């Protein structure tokens, strides 16, 4: 109760105990939530799919052509392997792993000039997945 001098010692102890209990409950639930975060992070990391890897190869191959390829593309097809993309630091091994299967992929992209528009078609080969139309002999080409 309030008296003419403000809160008394008894009210101070009761209020402090209530605040302390609230902090203990909050700490308990924060620790409980934090212990579940590694599972959440694993779930987010496992969301990489093979189509994402193909998209990474496609994007990196287009960067390679625009930044490092000096010759005219013409009407032919240029094969850009993932080995070559790694050599120029346009892609890293982490970009080529399908995480839920821990499946390391390799592959290539076919870059073409279609009426002035440069396009890239990626092909990857993994232990548990292979892009339709993948041709093994193209990987050795750099």
């Amino acid at each position: 109760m309030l008296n003419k001098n403000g809160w008394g010692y008894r009210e101070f102890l009761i209020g402090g105990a209530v605040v302390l209990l609230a902090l203990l409950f909050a700490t308990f639930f924060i620790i409980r939530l934090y212990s579940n975060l590694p599972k959440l992070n694993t779930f987010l990391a496992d969301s990489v799919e093979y189509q994402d890897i193909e998209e990474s190869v496609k994007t990196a191959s287009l960067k390679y052509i625009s930044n490092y390829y000096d010759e005219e593309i013409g009407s032919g097809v240029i094969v850009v392997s993932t080995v070559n993309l790694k050599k120029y630091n346009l892609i890293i091994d982490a970009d080529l792993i399908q995480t839920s299967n821990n499946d390391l992929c390799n592959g290539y992209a076919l870059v073409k000039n279609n009426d002035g528009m440069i396009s890239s078609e990626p092909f990857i080969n993994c232990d548990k997945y292979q892009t339709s139309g993948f041709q093994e002999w193209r990987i050795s080409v750099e």
Side-chain angles (χ1 to χ4, degrees):
M1 293 217 145
L2 273 176
N3 59 24
K4 65 180 181 171
N5 296 326
W7 294 98
Y9 187 66
R10 181 176 163 198
E11 289 83 13
F12 174 73
L13 288 178
I14 292 172
V18 169
V19 169
L20 183 63
L21 281 173
L23 286 173
L24 285 175
F25 279 115
T27 304
F28 171 75
F29 286 112
I30 289 171
I31 290 171
R32 189 172 171 196
L33 176 67
Y34 184 73
S35 68
N36 290 331
L37 284 180
K39 295 174 190 169
L40 178 64
N41 289 341
T42 302
F43 174 74
L44 293 175
D46 286 348
S47 65
V48 174
E49 295 183 14
Y50 293 109
Q51 291 75 17
D52 297 333
I53 297 171
E54 289 172 340
E55 190 62 33
S56 294
V57 171
K58 178 180 179 178
T59 303
S61 66
L62 291 172
K63 285 181 185 175
Y64 171 80
I65 293 297
S66 67
N67 295 339
Y68 301 105
Y69 193 76
D70 295 331
E71 298 178 26
E72 197 64 34
I73 294 177
S75 61
V77 174
I78 298 166
V79 178
V80 181
S81 69
T82 53
V83 172
N84 209 15
L85 295 173
K86 285 192 249 181
K87 186 169 96 176
Y88 286 94
N89 296 319
L90 295 171
I91 203 167
I92 58 174
D93 282 334
D95 296 330
L96 299 172
I97 295 177
Q98 207 280 342
T99 54
S100 64
N101 293 328
N102 200 20
D103 197 1
L104 179 63
C105 304
N106 62 10
Y108 60 89
L110 299 179
V111 180
K112 303 173 188 173
N113 184 353
N114 296 326
D115 297 325
M117 294 290 295
I118 306 297
S119 66
S120 176
E121 184 178 4
F123 295 89
I124 60 171
N125 182 33
C126 313
D127 291 335
K128 299 175 180 139
Y129 174 82
Q130 187 177 72
T131 305
S132 177
F134 178 84
Q135 297 171 330
E136 184 75 36
W137 61 271
R138 291 193 185 265
I139 290 182
S140 63
V141 177
E142 290 191 30

